[in-house]
Amino acid sequence: MTGIRGEERHQAGGSWLREVVFGINDGLVSNLTLVAGVAGAGPRSSLVLLAGLSGLVAGAASMGIGAYVSEKSQLEFYRSEERREMDETASHPELEREEVRQIYLAKGLSGELLDRVVHALTVERERWVRLMMEEELGLPKVTTRPAVDALVMGAAFAAGAVVPILPFLVLAAGPGLKASVGLSILALFAVGAGRSRFTRRNPFWAGGEMVLAGGAAAFIAWSLVRLLGLGNLGV
């Protein structure tokens, strides 16, 4: 029993931690790509820092608002369907009981056992509605908190996005870019290894994959700026 309870606690916490890890990852990759592209044009470090801060604020706001709207819509849809099922069980109880019967008949129950199961599941309205939501509509109970989750996602993105811009607080653009890439590589590896907790992958492979993905995105942005002749703007 202890092992089962421990696994349940792990799953409950894992859902929240997953949002944090993925938010940090998005902030790291997107802002590293932005900083690399801007630094490739050769401006002063203060302008690279300004671009990075703008990316941090814009990205964190976008992630937070997106999470809020998405999860609020999901919650509203669930509650709407829940009210509909509540009305149907009140106005057409026999039809709804027959739907329950058909669900468990398809699961292999029959005869007196089926009758007892249907009665037990429909005698209490809240349990009955929850059953219809899960079995008929395929909608498990929504426990999301849109406002809290939005803050978590926005803060996680900001935590990741701040890493690539830290070196530009004290270094010129050229050395700052090198330090930014190095610091971001370490952070990307740590985030990738952290993600392996949820994906059940080898942490070294998962970390290396994140380094390659983030590094490739930053290199492409930097290379495009140079190839387009936007380097050495010196603004």
Side-chain angles (χ1 to χ4, degrees):
M1 291 296 292
T2 302
I4 294 175
R5 289 173 182 161
E7 178 65 19
E8 288 174 348
R9 286 196 299 270
H10 166 74
Q11 293 297 332
S15 177
W16 181 77
L17 289 174
R18 189 179 300 112
E19 300 297 321
V20 173
V21 171
F22 290 166
I24 292 174
N25 172 70
D26 287 345
L28 262 168
V29 174
S30 64
N31 229 27
L32 175 60
T33 304
L34 174 63
V35 165
V38 175
R44 298 190 303 271
S45 61
S46 59
L47 293 180
V48 180
L49 181 61
L50 177 60
L53 287 172
S54 299
L56 184 156
V57 173
S62 177
M63 290 287 285
I65 293 171
Y68 178 81
V69 171
S70 174
E71 295 188 13
K72 188 170 185 290
S73 298
Q74 181 185 13
L75 184 59
E76 289 173 346
F77 174 71
Y78 181 89
R79 288 175 175 171
S80 173
E81 292 298 296
E82 187 179 45
R83 286 193 298 269
R84 185 175 66 83
E85 286 295 336
M86 188 71 74
D87 291 341
E88 289 180 353
T89 55
S91 58
H92 307 290
E94 291 308 315
L95 290 176
E96 292 297 303
R97 283 193 182 89
E98 182 58 28
E99 289 183 5
V100 175
R101 179 178 297 277
Q102 292 302 317
I103 289 170
Y104 283 90
L105 184 63
K107 292 178 181 291
L109 301 186
S110 61
E112 185 180 348
L113 177 59
L114 176 60
D115 293 337
R116 290 204 305 268
V117 168
V118 171
H119 175 74
L121 293 174
T122 59
V123 71
E124 197 272 312
R125 180 64 58 80
E126 185 176 342
R127 181 193 301 166
W128 187 357
V129 170
R130 188 164 61 246
L131 168 70
M132 300 304 290
M133 294 290 289
E134 294 177 356
E135 295 288 348
E136 182 187 21
L137 303 179
L139 295 174
K141 187 174 182 178
V142 175
T143 58
T144 184
R145 296 173 296 173
V148 173
D149 291 344
L151 288 174
V152 169
M153 284 295 293
F157 183 96
V162 76
V163 172
I165 65 177
L166 289 175
F168 296 98
L169 292 170
V170 294
L171 296 174
L177 178 58
K178 294 177 182 178
S180 176
V181 170
L183 188 61
S184 297
I185 285 174
L186 293 175
L188 283 167
F189 185 87
V191 171
R195 286 179 61 175
S196 68
R197 176 180 178 183
F198 312 115
T199 60
R200 302 287 193 262
R201 296 183 60 197
N202 183 297
F204 292 100
W205 283 109
E209 182 180 66
M210 288 309 308
V211 170
L212 288 175
F219 179 74
I220 290 171
W222 180 86
S223 299
L224 283 175
V225 169
R226 308 298 291 189
L227 287 172
L228 292 173
L230 299 177
N232 301 314
L233 293 180
V235 293

